[in-house]
Amino acid sequence: MTNGRAPPSTKAKIVQFTRGAAVLAAAALVTGGLTACGEDEPVDPSSTSTLSPLPGNSTSDASSSSSSSDSSTSSSDSTSEPTNEDVPALATEQSKAGAVAFTTYWFEESGQAVQDGDTAWIDKHADKSCAPCSDFIEGVEMEHEDGLRADRDPISVKDASGTKRDDGGYRVEFTMVSPAYSKVDKAGKVVHKIDPVSATVVTDTQWADGHWVLKDWILK
């Protein structure tokens, strides 16, 4: 609590920065009060290693690195059930490498959504209980309704690794990087200039009904 007021919610922060600046800028500037879906305690900003584990996180030391540069466009609407037909081959595997590849691809697609406003794929492949996913999607859609879009794909994923969780899913951690870019209106006129920024992301990636879904994520 600051000056007698509770800190703004994660949703408020995401919506605020997707509308006026970059989601990643929000992540980099917020030093406390950011909570994960299903957790009541804020992330400790004094931590020098990683975020407090998401529920069910294992302390095992398994990790791997993976990246995916594939891209695709899905015509399915956001209410469709996710399948493995519109994801890279590696991301269909029920393995650590598969979880890392899927998570990498989800966030790469989220950057494409910031550019073109199409949130159907990331919505389809996010668990319905994932509040940060919903907040991100809502922020992107609100901005595009206002006629704004990024002039380039503003999100890339670096150094992704996975650790097995006690509940059978994977804790995927990576650096999300955003270069300098501009938000432009429908006529292509620059409305906002966004500075480059990066942030660490930790996810709860789960295998459900034969495919991966993003169940939760936290910005470090």
Side-chain angles (χ1 to χ4, degrees):
M1 181 153 315
T2 304
N3 296 327
R5 293 179 297 177
S9 66
T10 302
K11 178 176 180 178
K13 292 170 184 173
I14 292 174
V15 171
Q16 174 187 353
F17 282 91
T18 51
R19 287 176 66 83
V23 173
L24 290 181
L29 293 173
V30 173
T31 58
L34 186 60
T35 60
C37 176
E39 292 183 325
D40 295 325
E41 295 300 321
V43 173
D44 179 4
S46 64
S47 172
T48 58
S49 54
T50 59
L51 294 173
S52 300
L54 295 172
N57 186 62
S58 170
T59 56
S60 62
D61 58 1
S63 65
S64 69
S65 295
S66 174
S67 64
S68 170
S69 59
D70 295 337
S71 63
S72 68
T73 302
S74 170
S75 60
S76 302
D77 71 46
S78 60
T79 61
S80 299
E81 289 298 319
T83 68
N84 285 326
E85 296 178 357
D86 55 356
V87 296
L90 181 58
T92 68
E93 296 181 6
Q94 189 179 3
S95 63
K96 178 170 62 179
V100 172
F102 167 80
T103 304
T104 297
Y105 191 67
W106 194 95
F107 280 90
E108 289 176 342
E109 286 294 295
S110 74
Q112 185 63 40
V114 175
Q115 182 178 17
D116 63 23
D118 185 358
T119 60
W121 192 92
I122 58 174
D123 190 13
K124 178 181 176 182
H125 291 273
D127 190 85
K128 299 308 178 185
S129 68
C130 181
C133 302
S134 298
D135 294 341
F136 178 87
I137 291 166
E138 179 183 350
V140 170
E141 291 176 345
M142 290 173 66
E143 188 165 69
H144 279 264
E145 287 173 3
D146 289 342
L148 297 178
R149 62 174 179 82
D151 65 348
R152 59 179 295 181
D153 183 337
I155 293 176
S156 60
V157 174
K158 306 293 183 183
D159 303 322
S161 64
T163 303
K164 188 74 172 180
R165 291 165 48 95
D166 293 338
D167 57 11
Y170 282 88
R171 179 186 192 275
V172 179
E173 181 169 346
F174 60 89
T175 301
M176 186 159 57
V177 179
S178 177
Y181 69 100
S182 297
K183 291 293 181 68
V184 298
D185 61 19
K186 293 180 179 179
K189 180 181 178 181
V190 174
V191 178
H192 303 293
K193 289 187 176 181
I194 311 301
D195 292 331
V197 68
S198 65
T200 299
V201 178
V202 178
T203 78
D204 175 0
T205 302
Q206 294 286 334
W207 183 263
D209 300 323
H211 52 79
W212 292 108
V213 294
L214 197 62
K215 191 171 183 180
D216 196 5
W217 52 278
I218 304 175
L219 296 155
K220 186 174 181 181

